[in-house]
Amino acid sequence: MKIWRVDLSNHKVAQEEVPEKYQPLGGRALTSQVIYDEVDPTIHPLSDENKLVFAPGLLSGTRAPSSGRISVGSVSPLTKGIKESNSGGTASQDLAKLGVKALIVEGSSEIDNLVLVIDKDGLRLEKDESLKGLGNYDVGDKLRNKYGDSVTVVSIGPAGEYKMTAASIAVTDTDDRPVRAFGRGGLGAVMGAKGLKAIVINDEGSSGVNLQNEDAFKEASRKFSKIILGHPVSGEALRTYGTAVLINILNEAGGLPTKNFRTGRFDTADKTSGETMTETIKERGGKPSHACHPGCIMGCSNVYHDENGEYLTAGLEYETIWAFGAQCEIDDLDYIAYFDRYCDDIGLDTIETGVSFSVYMETDFMEFGDKEEVKRIFDEEIRSGTPLGQIIGSGADNIGRVFGIDRVPTVKGQSIPAYDPRAVKGVGVTYATSTQGADHTAGYSVTANILKVGGEIDPLKKEGQVDLSRDLQVATAAIDTTGLCLFVAFAVLDNEDALPSIVDMINAQYGTELNVDDVSKLGKQILKIEREFNEKAGFTKAHDRLPKFFKSEKLPPHNVNFDLEDDKLDETYKF
Amino acid sequence: MKIWRVDLSNHKVAQEEVPEKYQPLGGRALTSQVIYDEVDPTIHPLSDENKLVFAPGLLSGTRAPSSGRISVGSVSPLTKGIKESNSGGTASQDLAKLGVKALIVEGSSEIDNLVLVIDKDGLRLEKDESLKGLGNYDVGDKLRNKYGDSVTVVSIGPAGEYKMTAASIAVTDTDDRPVRAFGRGGLGAVMGAKGLKAIVINDEGSSGVNLQNEDAFKEASRKFSKIILGHPVSGEALRTYGTAVLINILNEAGGLPTKNFRTGRFDTADKTSGETMTETIKERGGKPSHACHPGCIMGCSNVYHDENGEYLTAGLEYETIWAFGAQCEIDDLDYIAYFDRYCDDIGLDTIETGVSFSVYMETDFMEFGDKEEVKRIFDEEIRSGTPLGQIIGSGADNIGRVFGIDRVPTVKGQSIPAYDPRAVKGVGVTYATSTQGADHTAGYSVTANILKVGGEIDPLKKEGQVDLSRDLQVATAAIDTTGLCLFVAFAVLDNEDALPSIVDMINAQYGTELNVDDVSKLGKQILKIEREFNEKAGFTKAHDRLPKFFKSEKLPPHNVNFDLEDDKLDETYKF
């Protein structure tokens, strides 16, 4: 494998040997290490000194089940710290098969609308003025037309071109739709600032991934598949209802943030639940289950049709439904699906954008629940990048600053997602302390707090939450290195044979002799350098805190506040 | 003297004894100490946990020349750190005469448009719905009508009510005009968030300031006056041309930031110079010199009339002329005067707002030099608080975030003022390291760099700048404690008898036995607690840096960059 590099400042491309220290790394471990090694933490995230580092996971491109996740590393315009954003879709497997250990995009171009084409012959930059201002759906159509039906397209929509700080980078899925995304952290703005509109990946004729010990790999992979499919969450619930299964669960638990985190229960939540969604999808001829990349055996994605039975969106997720739903007091699933489609197309993170709207609803300009106004703002303001469109696209933190709103649910500039930290305290610890800003996927304590996976820790009490979050943050960093979907964690937490199978797969692929302890060491090492980077960027423990209102305001129905002491939070990164 | 306190959450007022440790403090020393003692550094600046602490200087209310400056302390919505903002006008002397050691405004009211009335009988809160949305000129007229012609009015305009982060707090001058301001740091938004529209101060019947040794005071005061009047800057230049005398000086020195800090020279700067302004003022029957408070012997202020000879604005300053002038490539003094008037009325900091426009001019929405569009945005957007108005009023840093602009001249979220740090390196050190964010007044190294006051240090070289800035930051903190106008520093730096006279005045007033060393100790102590507060708020040395483009881009005409090493900057606060 090689490091592939493109410098947009001079349009130079290169393929470099992989330095020995990068050999055992993949995914997040590699993206964070390259950012740590090559980027000054004090740069402006939109300057040409920032980089985007794409890295497939260690197991990506193999037949390991659900191993098609890819990481992108950068300095985030939203958090101003180090960022690893993670996506499904087909990019990871394609890059791995082409022998791309990491793709480093650096510099910035004087001209915009560049397309980076990656295939078995290497990398080349092309220019395509016709892509200017296009949404991700049209970009994909145009590029497939030009470069072939089977290419993967990684692209930004207008939001990225406008350098909106909530901009995402879209990745096409198995149906060639731009419904997978490097959503969090605003990295679409970084790509836009560099003048890069899209990356086209064509794995035709690639040599594929080499396995040192094919038989051992097959055996471990088979074992691991069985474990995943045998777990009630990864083997059943996700396939049946998608991640939206969580709407009713969190609502029941009193932890579904409603009306910008005013209560933990949304009266009409069921109208937006996974059960309702699945029924609606079935009635209209969509797909209640769908795999975002080949070889995914969990199939948590879906294809959602509109009232006329026409395709509307795909990959409608719990966090998206929550962000535009309960958080904004909107209980109309068709509108939410439309907003999801809009975000995918224009290239905005659904979580950040939904929370942004909810904070905007705190101003005199908008009421909670006004779905028509959300639609109008998407159609008329964000699409054409008006000043209001720019504000909404700049994330909740900026909206708070611009309109003088102090009720802003963000940590390190990034919006808190769909689990109230007062009623799911373990995930509150993750929000506060993660190197990534508020991010449920960085240490998904919802497992033991709510789902009774990997043990049981009362979500309303502070006991045990720091240890829980720490363990999960370490494990997650490691999983994000493998290319495995984070949802394998449900099985890993409940079945002690799961982690050894993962290690066996890696060893069989690379001829290494890792053991399970090495996985934990790797996770810690990743967090350590990410944290060190953030410290150099100016972060202190004062940034490892939730907004004050989570301490001072009690959340109905359980009337709980976030009562973990600051010094307890500071123990999260003691390892 | 007493500490006067109002809690807006419950509308309670109180007069408290001055704790012993506060006895020797005044102005900035006292505001910063109270904020340090009473406010949690991690609060949201617009929450009800923030406070506004107004404190007259130690010498305010006496006949000490030019001693009418007042400090307000708070946590800044712009910098998110501790803030001391300083104003002229008649508030300081009135409060001192009423025996107000400090006025602490805390909590926040459910109802808006409150007026705090302060007179010899104490404090009381009143409500005046008719003030809602009014500009500072109208607010003053209404309140003088109600409370008497001679009251001082401290108020916010619509910008403060909208909680715009660049909002100022206006203070009326000797002509009852709201042309003096606590400009920097967005403290108008804090006042707006508290629901307080105005403070009315009536010193009628006050007991005045007591002097322990009247003769000694008179003698020291006379001596000090003579020193000030004998200095070419404080005794002559400021009175003749106002602070705008600096336009031609800085332009000549190649340090007048032009077109958002792209060059250090503005071709048509002379159309906006102090010389041109003075001539224009004289022609139209305005006042080229004016004192902002009784007893000011420097008279740097002015009254500017429009083409028809009608009053337009007063206190037209160098930094304002620069911010809307060279920085935005506008060379029309009448327009600039109109913008100054507008900022005074609506309640916005002229520096932050001018720089905000210049950053907005970096977007596709506006061209540099478009004075008509600046006027339109003031009239149509900012006045009514439209989304675009809110953005412009939120300061340059937020505009950069919202529009994805990386050329943003701010430090700690506050705009860099009218001296390019590459061509006036001493002030660059101050911008980078001050506890206040970018602020020329925090350590005005322009003295030795450009004006050859207090020595001579080559502005283009890095040698000596850290020591210069450190000394001036310490001295400034001390001067901001006395209530003396910072402009006395010109004389203090050049005449070794000046500082002893100040100490003599303080000793004569309070019966203390301070010496000149105590002044320096006090200055250091202030900076120390401000810095400690900021550290708790999450600031690190990574925040003591200029934006990167000052390092990477060379400034014409001298083609210099800001080349002071980071570790050198970190020595500024070593004392």
Side-chain angles (χ1 to χ4, degrees), chain A residues 40 42 44 46-47 80 163 165 365 385 387 390-391 394 398 401-406 536 538 540 542-543 548, chain B residues 40 42 44 46-47 80 163 165 365 385 387 390-391 394 398 401-406 536 538 540 542-543 548:
Chain A
D40 175 349
T42 65
H44 193 296
L46 299 181
S47 71
K80 309 224 168 166
K163 292 177 272 184
T165 28
F365 293 101
Q390 289 280 159
I391 299 178
S394 75
N398 287 326
R401 289 165 191 258
V402 165
F403 291 99
I405 304 296
D406 65 351
K536 287 182 198 157
T540 72
H543 302 97
K548 292 242 153 182
Chain B
D40 174 350
T42 65
H44 193 295
L46 300 181
S47 72
K80 310 224 165 165
K163 292 177 270 184
T165 27
F365 293 101
Q390 288 281 158
I391 299 178
S394 75
N398 287 325
R401 289 165 190 259
V402 165
F403 292 100
I405 304 295
D406 66 350
K536 287 181 196 156
T540 71
H543 302 97
K548 292 243 153 182

Side-chain angles (χ1 to χ4, degrees), chain A residues 492-511:
Chain A
V492 171
L493 289 165
D494 275 344
N495 189 320
E496 59 184 16
D497 292 335
L499 187 55
S501 324
I502 297 175
V503 175
D504 287 346
M505 288 191 289
I506 294 173
N507 284 336
Q509 180 180 351
Y510 292 94

Side-chain angles (χ1 to χ4, degrees), chain A residues 198-272:
Chain A
I199 303 169
V200 172
I201 310 167
N202 186 350
D203 71 345
E204 221 179 273
S206 72
S207 49
V209 170
N210 188 34
L211 300 177
Q212 294 293 324
N213 185 337
E214 207 149 331
D215 291 341
F217 191 91
K218 260 188 200 160
E219 192 192 321
S221 167
R222 204 176 297 133
K223 191 171 164 192
F224 187 58
S225 295
K226 213 174 145 191
I227 293 170
I228 294 176
L229 292 173
H231 193 276
V233 176
S234 53
E236 194 180 327
L238 288 172
R239 176 185 313 279
T240 311
Y241 299 118
T243 55
V245 68
L246 289 165
I247 291 279
N248 280 341
I249 295 173
L250 265 293
N251 199 44
E252 185 57 35
L256 184 73
T258 301
K259 199 179 180 182
N260 194 18
F261 290 84
R262 278 190 177 71
T263 83
R265 217 166 257 171
F266 183 36
D267 289 344
T268 51
D270 187 51
K271 292 167 83 173
T272 66

